[in-house]
Amino acid sequence: MVPETPPLGESPPGAFSVLRKRADFLRAARAQRAPMPAFLLQARLRDPAEPAETAMRVGFTCSKKVGNAVARNRAKRRLREIARAVIPTEGQAGWDYVLIGRADATADHPFEAMKADLACALRKLHK
């Protein structure tokens, strides 16, 4: 059975787009934060006048403190997977989220614990 794809220009409910512009990351850096053992979550409520492709947007970043390119890419892949699993159900429309990897933690932390941490961080931020 093939899942239905939404018509062009529409996104499925709970979907998110990826932040790409530096200005979006800088706006999120000035907003709320929720530190977790394996990552840092930054979140901001967007201005309703700001255009967005989807209701939620997510960005991922890892500094060179995380390690070489291979380690940073591995950490970002893990962050993308926990975001795909948790943000569609726990995230709220109109928000931008940025997940920042931590050195020696993002790549080695248990995956299920990271998903639980992200859900907890989102609930904490949306209180």
Side-chain angles (χ1 to χ4, degrees):
M1 181 175 204
V2 178
E4 286 188 36
T5 56
L8 199 57
E10 292 182 26
S11 59
F16 59 83
S17 58
V18 178
L19 293 176
R20 304 252 185 235
K21 296 186 180 177
R22 185 172 190 269
D24 293 329
F25 282 90
L26 292 175
R27 278 193 238 70
R30 291 189 301 265
Q32 300 177 27
R33 295 167 183 240
M36 290 290 138
F39 58 87
L40 171 70
L41 175 66
Q42 298 173 337
R44 79 176 189 98
L45 181 60
R46 277 193 316 271
D47 185 354
E50 283 184 62
E53 317 74 59
T54 56
M56 294 176 276
R57 301 187 305 178
V58 182
F60 309 95
T61 186
C62 290
S63 71
K64 287 191 176 184
K65 290 178 187 176
V66 172
N68 63 10
V70 174
R72 290 192 307 271
N73 286 334
R74 180 167 187 244
K76 283 192 275 189
R77 276 196 307 271
R78 290 176 59 102
L79 293 174
R80 279 193 293 271
E81 284 306 311
I82 64 167
R84 271 191 207 108
V86 176
I87 288 183
T89 57
E90 298 286 336
Q92 292 185 4
W95 284 76
D96 287 346
Y97 304 103
V98 175
L99 289 157
I100 301 172
R102 290 187 185 266
D104 299 327
T106 305
D108 299 328
H109 204 69
F111 189 73
E112 291 302 318
M114 286 177 66
K115 287 183 1 182
D117 287 346
L118 180 56
C120 177
L122 288 168
R123 285 191 296 273
K124 186 167 99 172
L125 288 171
H126 292 305
K127 271 189 177 178

